[in-house]
Amino acid sequence: MKLKFSIFYSLIVLFLLIGGIALYLTSDFLTGYLKEYEDSLPKYDAEEVFAAYFKKPDIDLLLEISGYELTQFETKTVLANYYTRLLYDKEITYSRASSGVDSKTMSYNVKAGGTKFAEFTLVLSEERTPHDFDLYVLGSIRLQYRASEAVEITLPSDSSAFVNGIQLNANYITEDGIPYGNTADLPEELTPITFKTYAVNGLLVQPTIRVVDRFGQNCELTNNNGQYRAEITYDEALAEEYSDYIIKAIKTYSDMTHGDASKGAAQKYYEKGSNIYSYIATLENYFDWEHSGSIFENIRTGEFYAYDENTFSCRISFVQRLPKAGQEDYVDPLDLTLFLRKNAAGTYLIFAQHTNI
């Protein structure tokens, strides 16, 4: 009886021992299995990528990894500065995108202060865990930026425009041959002054603009919200050399119209055969205001523009007063644009003129 009892309890103990060992082994297996599964989850890979590249971002490294495309007018330094400003003093976070590219790719958005500036992907690895769980690795990092700045530059057709030091070519012209002034007032033998407009888009920041005139000098620019304009550069050398000549010619012309100078005195400044020369010859000025002498005030010359080495235009304005005893002066303002060219002797003569209203 004692033997039977002993065998019975021994078997129970044995079964309990075997069950305990089995339970221990099963528990250890399950723990390892579950840990392997947990460790294989892509959220941990995402955490590692974020910590490595975005928590304390190395902008140069991110640019190198992600790749970037800029116009020829901006450099990597400009883009790096863009991100430095964007990320400064901002909390950087990341989150899973609402949808991935496909079942093998997971996409994550990275934000600075709530604004998305990058994304990265995890892709299914060819390797798997010992228990055949999926593994993910970094697929790609892409930076996001808004290259939305643009400029327009309108300038004389014979001038050149530079954006951040790079000269614009014809590919950037959006409009050409823009008329300047009233072309109907221009003698038909002269080529009208025209303007052109360049446009450059896709810039990160407003660039440095420079316009160089036909003399190689920098032009003054006006800027209206990214729309730049350069005006005509007039020839100061011509102005210095011929201003006195022009003043003398038009004073004589004006005196002639009021009977204070002869037609011959005026015509010596004009080209024979021109319409204005003929106009002077046929002008009737016998009924002009009676006066004693004349006074010229506010004389101004300017806008000297060379069309070629032998032809230029300019502008002159003044007020001529014609005194008469016992009465108020007769006031005759004059504002003319003149066109001159050299004759065979090398003397500039006026071959056309028009009144500026």
Side-chain angles (χ1 to χ4, degrees):
M1 185 71 180
K2 290 182 179 179
L3 181 61
K4 290 182 179 180
F5 179 81
S6 176
I7 294 172
F8 173 76
Y9 281 101
S10 295
L11 290 173
I12 291 176
V13 170
L14 179 61
F15 286 136
L16 289 173
L17 181 61
I18 293 172
I21 294 172
L23 181 62
Y24 173 80
L25 294 175
T26 301
S27 174
D28 188 57
F29 170 79
L30 286 174
T31 300
Y33 184 87
L34 292 175
K35 185 177 186 305
E36 184 179 312
Y37 169 75
E38 176 71 15
D39 291 344
S40 70
L41 293 177
K43 66 179 183 178
Y44 297 110
D45 298 303
E47 286 179 3
E48 290 181 5
V49 170
F50 177 77
Y53 295 101
F54 295 104
K55 195 167 186 178
K56 293 182 179 180
D58 182 333
I59 295 173
D60 286 334
L61 177 61
L62 286 174
L63 290 176
E64 182 180 341
I65 293 173
S66 66
Y68 55 90
E69 291 184 5
L70 295 172
T71 69
Q72 62 174 317
F73 307 104
E74 294 180 314
T75 64
K76 178 183 177 181
T77 300
V78 174
L79 185 55
N81 291 338
Y82 170 89
Y83 279 113
T84 298
R85 293 190 298 270
L86 180 67
L87 303 182
Y88 177 74
D89 206 26
K90 300 287 196 326
E91 180 185 7
I92 301 176
T93 59
Y94 79 102
S95 61
R96 174 83 180 271
S98 57
S99 60
V101 178
D102 54 45
S103 60
K104 297 181 180 180
T105 304
M106 296 184 181
S107 183
Y108 296 82
N109 295 326
V110 187
K111 298 181 179 181
T115 300
K116 179 181 175 181
F117 74 93
E119 65 181 23
F120 64 88
T121 60
L122 299 178
V123 296
L124 194 62
S125 172
E126 293 181 356
E127 297 182 1
R128 301 180 71 82
T129 70
H131 291 97
D132 206 32
F133 293 126
D134 290 337
L135 289 174
Y136 284 84
V137 294
L138 175 63
S140 64
I141 293 177
R142 189 174 71 87
L143 295 179
Q144 178 176 295
Y145 50 89
R146 293 186 60 196
S148 57
E149 294 292 332
V151 292
E152 281 190 354
I153 311 164
T154 300
L155 65 163
S157 295
D158 56 8
S159 299
S160 302
F162 297 78
V163 173
N164 288 338
I166 298 176
Q167 184 173 354
L168 300 182
N169 58 35
N171 294 331
Y172 293 93
I173 293 177
T174 57
E175 190 174 2
D176 204 358
I178 304 169
Y180 176 77
N182 185 2
T183 56
D185 293 330
L186 189 72
E188 61 181 15
E189 56 264 60
L190 296 182
T191 301
I193 298 172
T194 59
F195 278 64
K196 60 187 174 183
T197 297
Y198 291 107
V200 177
N201 303 309
L203 299 169
L204 284 167
V205 295
Q206 280 290 309
T208 299
I209 305 298
R210 185 167 68 100
V211 171
V212 175
D213 64 23
R214 57 193 177 135
F215 304 110
Q217 302 298 316
N218 289 334
C219 298
E220 290 188 9
L221 293 170
T222 58
N223 176 15
N224 181 18
N225 295 323
Q227 294 181 324
Y228 293 83
R229 183 178 177 90
E231 298 298 341
I232 294 171
T233 302
Y234 293 107
D235 195 322
E236 295 302 323
L238 278 175
E240 183 176 352
E241 185 173 0
Y242 290 102
S243 282
D244 289 343
Y245 176 77
I246 295 299
I247 292 171
K248 187 175 181 180
I250 300 307
K251 274 187 173 181
T252 305
Y253 169 82
S254 189
D255 277 340
M256 180 274 302
T257 63
H258 296 295
D260 294 325
S262 68
K263 292 182 177 181
Q267 283 177 317
K268 72 177 184 178
Y269 296 102
Y270 289 83
E271 183 182 272
K272 289 183 178 181
S274 64
N275 290 336
I276 186 63
Y277 188 93
S278 300
Y279 168 79
I280 293 171
T282 58
L283 178 66
E284 295 184 3
N285 56 0
Y286 305 111
F287 305 101
D288 198 70
W289 168 274
E290 292 184 9
H291 58 279
S292 55
S294 65
I295 302 169
F296 293 93
E297 299 174 337
N298 300 325
I299 301 172
R300 294 185 178 89
T301 60
E303 299 182 13
F304 283 78
Y305 183 87
Y307 287 87
D308 55 49
E309 60 183 4
N310 296 314
T311 311
F312 74 86
S313 64
C314 65
R315 186 170 181 174
I316 181 171
S317 64
F318 53 72
V319 173
Q320 186 177 15
R321 293 185 175 273
L322 304 177
K324 185 176 182 180
Q327 298 190 41
E328 291 186 2
D329 294 351
Y330 176 79
V331 178
D332 186 17
L334 192 64
D335 186 345
L336 296 174
T337 293
L338 312 177
F339 299 88
L340 300 91
R341 62 184 163 210
K342 285 181 181 179
N343 62 10
T347 301
Y348 276 105
L349 297 175
I350 302 167
F351 68 93
Q353 68 186 42
H354 67 77
T355 302
N356 301 304
I357 300 174

